[in-house]
């Protein structure tokens, strides 16, 4: 039997003063507290601020893919 899944995408923004990777993980971690069935993410935009000629903070816009629950 073939399993057919249906997904919805939502857009979120994560931030970090440490790294892009931490900004992604912060966003996913926060989203997972209220969203179920997170399956994938896409990085849509990367931004950051500059302080003293160095990267000071990171902002990452993500699209998250959520799978609809069967029978819901």
């Amino acid at each position: 039997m073939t399993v057919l899944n249906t997904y919805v995408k939502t857009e979120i923004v994560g931030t970090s003063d440490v790294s892009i990777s931490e900004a992604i993980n912060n966003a996913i971690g926060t989203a997972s507290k209220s969203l179920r069935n997170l399956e994938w993410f896409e990085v849509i935009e990367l931004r950051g601020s500059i302080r003293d000629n160095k990267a000071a903070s990171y902002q990452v816009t993500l699209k998250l893919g959520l799978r609809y629950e069967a029978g819901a």
Side-chain angles (χ1 to χ4, degrees):
M1 181 172 159
T2 303
V3 177
L4 301 175
N5 291 315
T6 301
Y7 297 88
V8 64
K9 292 195 289 187
T10 189
E11 195 168 285
I12 63 172
V13 178
T15 62
S16 170
D17 291 336
V18 176
S19 68
I20 291 168
S21 179
E22 185 174 272
I24 292 169
N25 287 326
N26 287 343
I28 293 170
T30 299
S32 70
K33 292 177 184 175
S34 60
L35 300 173
R36 294 191 312 263
N37 303 322
L38 294 175
E39 293 211 355
W40 50 265
F41 71 92
E42 294 175 60
V43 174
I44 304 303
E45 294 179 306
L46 296 171
R47 284 179 297 285
S49 64
I50 299 169
R51 189 176 317 116
D52 298 325
N53 297 318
K54 295 180 184 176
S57 65
Y58 305 90
Q59 190 178 68
V60 181
T61 303
L62 304 172
K63 283 192 181 181
L64 297 179
L66 297 84
R67 180 182 33 80
Y68 278 104
E69 292 179 352

